[in-house]
Amino acid sequence: MIEILGVHKSFGSLEVLRGVSLEVAAGEVVVVLGPSGSGKSTLLRTINHLEKVDRGFITIDGRLIGYRKRGGKLHELKEREILKQRKDIGFVFQNFNLFPHLTALENVAEAADLASARQFLDRVGLGDRAGSYPRQLSGGQQQRVAIARALATQPKVVLFDEPTSALDPELVGEVLDVLRDLARSGTTMVVVTHEIGFAREVADRIVFMDQGVIVEQGTPAEVLDNPAHDRTRAFLSKVL
Amino acid sequence: MASPGTLTLVSTKDEDPASLPVVPARHPWRWVGVAFVLVLVAQFVHGLVTNPAWDWPTFARYFTAQSILTAVGTTVLLTVLGTALGFALGVVVAVLRMSRSPFLRAVGWTYIWAFRSIPLIVQLLFWFNISYLYQRLSLGVPFGPELVSFETIELISPMGAAVLGLALHQAAYAAEIVRSGVVSVDRGQLEAAAALGIPRLRQFRRIVLPQAMRSILPNAANEVISLFKGTSVVSVMAIGELFYQVQVIYGRNARVVALLMVATVWYIVLTTLLSIGQHYVERHFARGDRR
């Protein structure tokens, strides 16, 4: 489904990703854990080409993202083609990034027709708030609208970049409920989060990243209860 | 023990604190200020009414005279065309200036540099006298044969030259105002639009511009109002707009003050209408910002 191969990425002299390879199968829920600055958000953003990679490549269903292979070289795609590819990849931001001048329904309808936009709002339990502007919604409701919007292009995979980090503690649950529903319905998901409890319950696989590399990965039981690596143990001892 | 500067709570033994009346803070100096300003205004109004030099009968005779109304119409037309064409071109120049292509960025930058550098009055006189420079304008192959050609003096009338000059000048300023609005929109908005695969033109029109309008509008309204009064510069080209017309009339009858007041009051009235319009347009673009 998703194949990430040898991805490197630097911001100036700072190398954020140092050769990351990862495969995600269809219907799988992968949770990425790691200390801040470990490169997990950057990795997520390279999957839908919001960040260009310096080396390595990413494919979804066998199709290269952001590039075309020709004559032994990777040629960068035109903006228009990249935009088309992104419809296959839903993205949910930490700060929601809803369009503040559009109602909840209009936000979702930017990515789909009105009738299906309504269905997606219903699916996150906000059918009755269709006419509300983002400012009139709580943080949790805003993130649920953002999830409905990300689903509206009917993507093959949905990426979540710390979807609950900007929320008040009492609002985290409603967003995690939506994620849980999605996971159960067979949506392919990659979730960057600090919610260890959620990871344990929902993830098929947990990937632990530190300093731009994947340190270890495995089932929640393996990684959380019996980590093989010192760095994983050190991180878990701080967050558990 | 209450030391100076600290608050002490009143004893509530025999008083219900919820029933204490609240006395709003008093501002006696405001009333002094109001009285002072009222006296100044009264003096000014008294002067307007009693000083015969203001010559109100002449003012009244000319304020709604046909020649003045026609001139007001010309001023409004120049403003409308200058604004519409200026902002249309300004959006294009702003887009060039913010393009990812270094070539297009340079084109946008150069346009703004050139038209901000040339004083409006100089530019207008150039357009007015363009037929001295180029007597014929033609379309054809560069350095090759001509396909069609026109007499410059027929193609560009004085009014056309005025509109052209105002619009080109306005576009440079409009471009910078539009750009300031666009850069004020949060980066996350563009990322969200890009993540949804929304085409670039639609991103700009539907996501960026409506949000940019919040900060574009007050500046744009300033520009429109300043252009509206700036049309008086066009009087150097002998176009019958408001300021030129009152000059013609007081040149004839020497009632300078009364006729300048005619122009002044018209400028005030129309600027007031623009300001009211601004209020409603701004309210429209503030939707989503109210609870």
Side-chain angles (χ1 to χ4, degrees), chain A residues 11-33:
Chain A
F11 293 116
S13 61
L14 181 70
E15 195 169 27
V16 188
L17 297 177
R18 299 186 297 159
V20 176
S21 296
L22 179 69
E23 274 183 58
V24 179
E28 197 180 11
V29 177
V30 171
V31 169
V32 184
L33 299 178

Side-chain angles (χ1 to χ4, degrees), chain A residues 45 48 50 79 83-84 86-87 89 91 93 96-102 106-107 109-111 133 135-136 149-150 153, chain B residues 100 186-200 202-203 206-208 210-211 285 287-291:
Chain A
R45 291 162 60 85
N48 75 344
L50 279 179
E79 173 93 15
L83 287 170
K84 208 184 267 172
R86 289 208 183 107
K87 287 188 185 291
I89 311 163
F91 200 101
F93 296 87
F96 331 137
N97 285 343
L98 289 179
F99 307 130
H101 60 301
L102 301 178
E106 288 167 340
N107 262 279
E110 277 302 303
Y133 286 100
R135 276 193 58 153
Q136 298 162 333
R149 188 176 67 173
T153 56
Chain B
R100 288 179 196 183
D186 181 41
R187 258 183 65 84
Q189 292 290 307
L190 278 177
E191 284 195 342
L196 290 173
I198 298 172
R200 287 270 285 172
R202 188 179 165 84
Q203 285 183 24
R206 176 90 174 146
I207 309 297
V208 177
Q211 296 184 58
F285 281 100
R287 70 190 189 281
D289 202 34
R290 279 167 290 163
R291 285 189 184 264

